[in-house]
Each structure stands twice: as structure tokens, then as C-alpha cells.
Amino acid sequence: MARNYRHTMFSEAVKALQERHGSRAAYLKMDAGADGAPDALTAKELDYIALRDSFYMASVTAHGWPYMQHRGGPAGFLRHLGGNRIGFADYRGNKQYISTANLAGDDRVSLFLMDYPNKDRLKLVGHARSVELADDPALVTSLMPVGYRAVPERAFLVDVIGWEWNCSQHITPRFTEAEISAAIQPMAAELNQLRAENAALRTRLSGDRR
């Protein structure tokens, strides 16, 4: 059971609000035994991570501002590297380097992973570091999706300390082009068959009129 996510996130101020609004007792029971040990990633989380083609990562600026950035690629570009470590290749972009600089001063990150069609979301928190291509080319290139047209500059490695599956309420289902294509494939096949049968019928009727 995952407890450390809440153990990490539930400050005294949070607990006070939970007490005021009647949810503290339930969370206290759920989190009994939490001692700060990381929540181990299970097969459920790892399978979910392996299917994602997108996620959001928040880091903290030197002035304490939260900074959110989108990361995307082919499904599976966010890799499990053993234990509670995950990682991904950071591609060349607009050269702002905000996330990279943030991690040099504060290694805490939060990842938000969405599955819109199934209305699932997974939150991860952990400690992250960047590894430049020049410092470990083998590592960075090993995290590049095969055949993906992007230029890697570094890798981000995240040691997850906590995770939580979030409520599915208020998630509007959205579908990728590939998911829509797969969904309508049976209808497209049936339409093509009907078109072929219609063409054959027209040819036969045309021949009968001669």
C-alpha cells in the first residue's frame, strides 16, 4: 500500500484542514504505519508508466515558484530503470533549461501522468537529477525511443519516493489519433466491404441492361 505520498504531502496545515472538514480520521487510518520509507512501485504503476506517451513534471525555481513542463514522446519513452527509479531522455527544445537549472538547486519533482480514455491519473513525487549527454552518452542514448526523430541533450533520472492514484471524477475522456483509428477500424472495414459489394452489384446490373 502507498503511504509515503501522503506522509510527504500532508503538512500540519493540510491535516488541520482535513480535521476541520471531516476527512482526517479516514486518512489517519489509511496511513497507519507510514514511516517515510518510499512507496515501492508495483507492477500496476510500472505497466501504467510504460504505456504513457505524455506527462507533466513540476520542479521548484530558485525563488520557490512551482514550474510545470510537459514531456512527450512515443509510448514507453518514460522508462523503468530498476527499483524505484524511472528516467527519460530530454530532447533539444527552446533552450530555456528551466527544469534543468531547477534540479541543480532543488531536486524535488512531481510527475502527473494521465490516461484520458480510461479516466486514470497517477501522481509521483521524487528526487531527480539530470545527466548530460557528454557525461554519459551510453545512458542518454539508451533512453532514446527507437526511430524517434529528436535530438537528446541529457537524461532525467527520478527516484520515486511516493505515488498516489487519483480520483477519476471530472476527467473528460480524450483520444489520440491512433486510438480513434483503432476504434473505427471495424466500421471502416465494413464500409469498404459494402462499397465493394455495391460496386459489384452495379456492374452486374449494368451488364443485365445490355
Side-chain angles (χ1 to χ4, degrees):
M1 181 181 293
R3 296 186 178 95
N4 197 48
Y5 185 94
R6 294 184 293 271
H7 179 77
T8 303
M9 293 296 173
F10 287 0
S11 65
E12 293 306 314
V14 171
K15 293 175 184 177
L17 283 173
Q18 292 171 352
E19 189 69 42
R20 182 189 303 174
H21 294 287
S23 62
R24 183 70 201 133
Y27 282 122
L28 190 62
K29 183 177 180 180
M30 289 168 56
D31 297 340
D35 58 5
D39 297 327
L41 293 168
T42 72
K44 180 181 179 181
E45 289 76 50
L46 295 177
D47 289 346
Y48 183 86
I49 290 169
L51 292 174
R52 305 280 66 78
D53 60 7
S54 172
F55 67 90
Y56 299 91
M57 184 176 79
S59 55
V60 184
T61 72
H63 300 292
W65 285 99
Y67 176 73
M68 181 75 77
Q69 194 162 43
H70 173 263
R71 286 290 185 266
F77 80 102
L78 180 60
R79 308 273 182 87
H80 178 224
L81 302 178
N84 254 35
R85 177 170 290 181
I86 57 178
F88 61 97
D90 184 41
Y91 315 132
R92 181 178 297 167
N94 57 13
K95 298 188 177 183
Q96 290 188 345
Y97 304 115
I98 299 175
S99 296
T100 307
N102 288 348
L103 296 183
D106 188 331
D107 70 355
R108 292 174 298 173
V109 294
S110 179
L111 276 63
F112 199 89
L113 285 65
M114 293 291 300
D115 178 355
Y116 286 102
N118 294 305
K119 300 176 68 175
D120 284 330
R121 51 187 169 186
L122 176 65
K123 297 185 292 188
L124 307 168
V125 290
H127 300 282
R129 64 185 177 94
S130 64
V131 179
E132 295 296 316
L133 178 64
D135 294 331
D136 195 338
L139 170 66
V140 176
T141 55
S142 72
L143 290 172
M144 279 298 295
V146 176
Y148 190 56
R149 296 182 63 182
V151 179
E153 290 190 333
R154 66 190 55 79
F156 282 109
L157 307 179
V158 181
D159 291 312
V160 176
I161 66 164
W163 53 263
E164 183 175 63
W165 291 95
N166 228 180
C167 175
S168 63
Q169 287 189 88
H170 314 302
I171 298 176
T172 301
R174 292 182 172 86
F175 301 89
T176 66
E177 182 179 354
E179 289 164 342
I180 293 172
S181 296
I184 66 173
Q185 187 173 7
M187 291 185 292
E190 183 178 4
L191 178 60
N192 289 334
Q193 180 181 351
L194 290 172
R195 284 174 172 170
E197 292 173 354
N198 191 37
L201 181 59
R202 286 181 177 178
T203 301
R204 186 163 63 250
L205 290 174
S206 178
D208 291 345
R209 292 194 188 103
R210 294 176 182 174

